[in-house]
Amino acid sequence: RHEAWENVSRTLAHEIKNPLTPIQLSIDRLKDKYSGKLKDEKIEFESYLKTINRQIKTIENLVNEFSDFARMPSPILKKIKIDDVLNRAITFYKMSNEELNLKLHKKINSNFYIKGDAEHLYRVFLNLIKNSIEAIDEKKQKNSNFKGKITLEMNTNNEYIVIEMLDNGIGFKDVINITKPYFTTKKDGTGLGLPIVTKIINEHNGEIKFLKNPNGAEIHIYLPSYTWRTKY
């Protein structure tokens, strides 16, 4: 099913990208030709051009997501510490928002080794944390005093490393269709983020579950433990 969607994405990316360059060139020529000639309407004219430029950027981002989904390289699996990958993603977001209440807890004192691709999994956690931040921001729009919280917990049952993620944002509206390509409940969403996340977890022989929680959104990720894989 993912291969079929990858073909669709590849075609869409190609067809959408083709007209973007001539559109951008036309805008640049319009600006060069008419900005100096207009007086009273110059500000309005340039405002129109900026609006078109913004929409072009939005379409470019969409094309990039299509391309990413279509060209996801196969993971290069190595022995890695998954908590190092998680801490790297957490640090990335805390660098731009020191007040972000985002914490990682280890339920046991263990080395959480897996056989995985650190860059692919880093992308997974960047995407999931970003979604949580956006869900919290959406809740803040209704209540400016609302305090957001994102918690990640790690545990192991020998066979699997278990990562549980919980935020107190708006929660999932539809956990059944959430991993289907191009399905989205966001106004500006492409519906490709979570399918890419799911695909990466599947390629690591793992599983990801999206759960409804009365306090927000809950996600469980199961990744085969390196020690268990090497033992058996």
Side-chain angles (χ1 to χ4, degrees):
R1 187 177 68 178
H2 272 97
E3 286 178 2
W5 280 113
E6 285 169 8
N7 289 332
V8 172
S9 297
R10 195 176 294 109
T11 302
L12 284 171
H14 178 74
E15 294 299 327
I16 295 172
K17 195 172 184 178
N18 281 343
L20 288 182
T21 300
I23 291 172
Q24 185 65 63
L25 289 172
S26 297
I27 291 170
D28 294 340
R29 287 168 183 164
L30 283 170
K31 186 176 181 180
D32 292 341
K33 186 171 182 178
Y34 294 107
S35 288
K37 297 178 181 179
L38 297 172
K39 294 181 180 179
D40 297 337
E41 297 177 339
K42 182 178 180 179
I43 295 176
E44 189 176 7
F45 174 72
E46 291 185 348
S47 175
Y48 290 149
L49 295 184
K50 286 179 181 178
T51 299
I52 298 171
N53 267 320
R54 280 196 299 269
Q55 297 307 313
I56 288 174
K57 294 297 180 185
T58 300
I59 295 170
E60 284 179 345
N61 290 335
L62 181 67
V63 169
N64 289 336
E65 290 220 25
F66 284 150
S67 298
D68 287 347
F69 186 68
R71 294 189 313 229
M72 279 295 294
S74 297
I76 300 173
L77 304 179
K78 300 177 182 178
K79 182 183 177 183
I80 61 170
K81 280 187 72 177
I82 189 62
D83 41 333
D84 286 348
V85 179
L86 265 169
N87 280 317
R88 182 180 158 203
I90 290 169
T91 301
F92 173 82
Y93 282 106
K94 284 201 167 185
M95 283 175 62
S96 57
N97 185 356
E98 293 180 357
E99 296 180 359
L100 181 64
N101 190 351
L102 171 59
K103 295 179 180 177
L104 172 63
H105 302 290
K106 298 181 184 180
K107 288 189 175 181
I108 59 172
N109 186 18
S110 175
N111 289 320
F112 295 97
Y113 287 105
I114 68 163
K115 197 170 184 181
D117 187 311
E119 291 306 314
H120 283 210
L121 291 169
Y122 176 61
R123 178 174 182 170
V124 164
F125 296 117
L126 282 182
N127 191 298
L128 295 178
I129 294 171
K130 173 177 171 288
N131 285 350
S132 288
I133 292 172
E134 290 174 351
I136 288 168
D137 288 343
E138 190 170 338
K139 210 167 185 179
K140 278 183 179 179
Q141 290 176 7
K142 299 175 182 177
N143 178 7
S144 58
N145 296 320
F146 175 72
K147 301 295 183 182
K149 182 180 180 181
I150 306 170
T151 304
L152 294 111
E153 291 187 347
M154 296 187 66
N155 206 342
T156 180
N157 62 5
N158 294 322
E159 294 182 18
Y160 288 90
I161 304 297
V162 184
I163 302 163
E164 297 181 3
M165 183 173 178
L166 179 66
D167 69 56
N168 61 348
I170 59 170
F172 297 123
K173 297 175 183 177
D174 186 340
V175 294
I176 297 174
N177 296 302
I178 198 168
T179 60
K180 290 182 179 178
Y182 306 112
F183 174 84
T184 181
T185 57
K186 297 179 183 178
K187 182 181 177 182
D188 300 319
T190 61
L192 290 175
L194 292 183
I196 289 174
V197 164
T198 304
K199 182 182 179 186
I200 291 172
I201 297 298
N202 288 342
E203 288 174 338
H204 284 75
N205 297 311
E207 184 180 4
I208 183 167
K209 295 180 180 179
F210 300 91
L211 309 171
K212 284 194 173 183
N213 186 300
N215 299 315
E218 186 173 352
I219 300 170
H220 293 179
I221 298 173
Y222 304 85
L223 293 166
S225 168
Y226 181 83
T227 53
W228 181 80
R229 289 181 66 145
T230 52
K231 182 178 180 182
Y232 294 95

